[in-house]
């Protein structure tokens, strides 16, 4: 988009790049932890754990943005935490590596959202939300590429994939489609983040997670016990309650 002129290329100073680098680092770690969790446990369970995003969003927004939650908002976090705990105790695919990876992705992604919001408040006109995300993505590529080469090496070359009996056309087509959808989702996410608070943004993510959990259970035919379903339902109900309380929160009076 920069090359074609669809998106105006921003003028970035060294100081701005230094400020964006921590965002790129937590963005990279967040994606890495999410994929680690998806590789260890069921898709539905990973996203049930990630329903705890509001908890970390409140914590980090309080620490870094000075946004103090009301007592009712804090209380609404209890069913979210309790529901995730109940779902974890009865999850057939549960293991600690998958659980802690999903938890770590919550911390890193919410850190990214809060820090991004802080940067957007002070940004120059040329550095809009799409350009900010684009720079973060480019930085993340350079951060993760050496790690990929060191850990995967030649395992992703066509020769190795073919020798493993895999369909190259299918892998490349699905990878390209997944990459396009994921990038589009992240870019839209940043466009929304520029217009709302990090907490509201995380609530929207949790609504998205309801769709992901239900569709993944149906698509992968994941075995779900009644107690597991109850835990997931409680957590998602807590998210709804939380979003309603945030919406009704009175705005601070002007001085």
């Amino acid at each position: 988009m920069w090359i074609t002129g669809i998106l105006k290329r921003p003028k970035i100073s060294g100081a701005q790049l230094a400020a964006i680098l921590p965002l790129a680092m937590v963005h990279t770690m967040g994606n890495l932890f999410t994929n680690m969790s998806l590789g260890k446990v069921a898709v539905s369970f990973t996203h049930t754990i990630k329903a705890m995003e509001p908890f970390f969003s409140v914590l980090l927004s309080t620490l870094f943005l000075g946004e103090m939650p009301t007592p009712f908002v804090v209380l609404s976090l209890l069913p979210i935490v309790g529901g995730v705990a109940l779902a974890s105790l009865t999850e057939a695919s549960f293991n600690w590596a998958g659980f802690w990876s999903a938890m770590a992705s919550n911390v890193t992604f919410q850190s990214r959202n809060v820090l991004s919001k802080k940067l957007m408040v002070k940004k120059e006109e040329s550095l809009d939300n799409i350009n900010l995300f684009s720079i973060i993505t480019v930085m993340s590529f350079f951060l993760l590429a050496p790690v990929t080469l060191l850990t995967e090496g030649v395992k992703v070359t066509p020769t190795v994939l073919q020798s493993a009996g895999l369909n190259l056309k299918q892998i490349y087509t699905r990878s390209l489609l997944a990459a396009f959808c994921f990038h589009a989702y992240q870019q839209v996410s940043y466009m929304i983040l520029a217009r709302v608070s990090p907490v509201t943004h995380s609530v929207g993510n949790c609504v998205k997670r309801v769709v992901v959990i239900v569709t993944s259970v149906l698509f992968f035919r994941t075995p779900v016990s009644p107690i597991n379903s109850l835990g997931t339902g409680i957590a998602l109900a807590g998210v709804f309650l939380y979003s309603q309380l945030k919406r009704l929160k009175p705005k601070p009076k002007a001085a």
Side-chain angles (χ1 to χ4, degrees):
M1 288 191 290
W2 285 339
I3 293 172
T4 58
I6 295 174
L7 186 64
K8 185 179 178 181
R9 190 185 312 178
K11 296 178 180 179
I12 301 296
S13 66
Q16 284 178 309
L17 289 175
I20 296 171
L21 182 58
L23 301 183
M25 293 174 68
V26 293
H27 176 77
T28 304
M29 294 302 294
N31 284 297
L32 197 59
F33 283 130
T34 298
N35 282 284
M36 287 170 63
S37 181
L38 290 171
K40 295 290 185 180
V41 296
V43 173
S44 56
F45 183 54
T46 294
H47 285 275
T48 297
I49 299 169
K50 286 173 72 65
M52 282 188 66
E53 278 188 349
F55 174 84
F56 293 101
S57 183
V58 166
L59 178 63
L60 294 171
S61 292
T62 301
L63 292 174
F64 295 106
L65 299 181
E67 296 180 1
M68 296 300 295
T70 65
F72 291 110
V73 167
V74 174
L75 287 173
S76 72
L77 297 175
L78 295 179
I80 299 175
V81 176
V84 170
L86 186 61
S88 300
L89 290 172
T90 56
E91 172 59 39
S93 67
F94 179 87
N95 66 68
W96 286 109
F99 176 83
W100 286 117
S101 295
M103 280 293 188
S105 75
N106 279 339
V107 176
T108 50
F109 274 136
Q110 290 312 304
S111 297
R112 181 201 66 181
N113 287 352
V114 170
L115 293 173
S116 295
K117 190 71 178 180
K118 199 170 183 179
L119 186 64
M120 284 178 189
V121 172
K122 300 183 295 183
K123 73 178 187 297
E124 295 179 9
E125 187 178 348
S126 63
L127 189 59
D128 59 15
N129 52 310
I130 296 179
N131 276 323
L132 175 60
F133 172 67
S134 300
I135 294 167
I136 289 174
T137 304
V138 173
M139 283 185 168
S140 294
F141 170 78
F142 286 110
L143 287 171
L144 196 56
V147 180
T148 304
L149 293 174
L150 286 172
T151 56
E152 298 292 337
V154 296
K155 293 180 183 178
V156 293
T157 60
T159 304
V160 175
L161 292 174
Q162 280 183 320
S163 65
L166 299 172
N167 186 321
L168 280 181
K169 183 179 179 181
Q170 187 181 74
I171 287 176
Y172 289 148
T173 302
R174 290 183 178 180
S175 296
L176 181 63
L177 182 61
F180 174 79
C181 291
F182 185 72
H183 182 83
Y185 152 68
Q186 293 277 10
Q187 189 152 311
V188 170
S189 178
Y190 257 79
M191 291 170 68
I192 295 171
L193 182 61
R195 292 166 172 79
V196 299
S197 73
V199 173
T200 303
H201 182 266
S202 69
V203 170
N205 260 338
C206 287
V207 174
K208 171 208 72 178
R209 218 168 298 292
V210 174
V211 178
V212 174
I213 290 170
V214 173
T215 53
S216 66
V217 167
L218 295 174
F219 185 83
F220 295 109
R221 298 181 181 179
T222 307
V224 180
S225 69
I227 298 178
N228 185 275
S229 300
L230 178 63
T232 302
I234 290 172
L236 296 175
V239 170
F240 175 77
L241 175 62
Y242 171 84
S243 65
Q244 294 304 301
L245 289 170
K246 286 298 297 181
R247 184 174 63 85
L248 297 173
K249 179 182 175 183
K251 294 182 180 180
K253 294 180 180 180

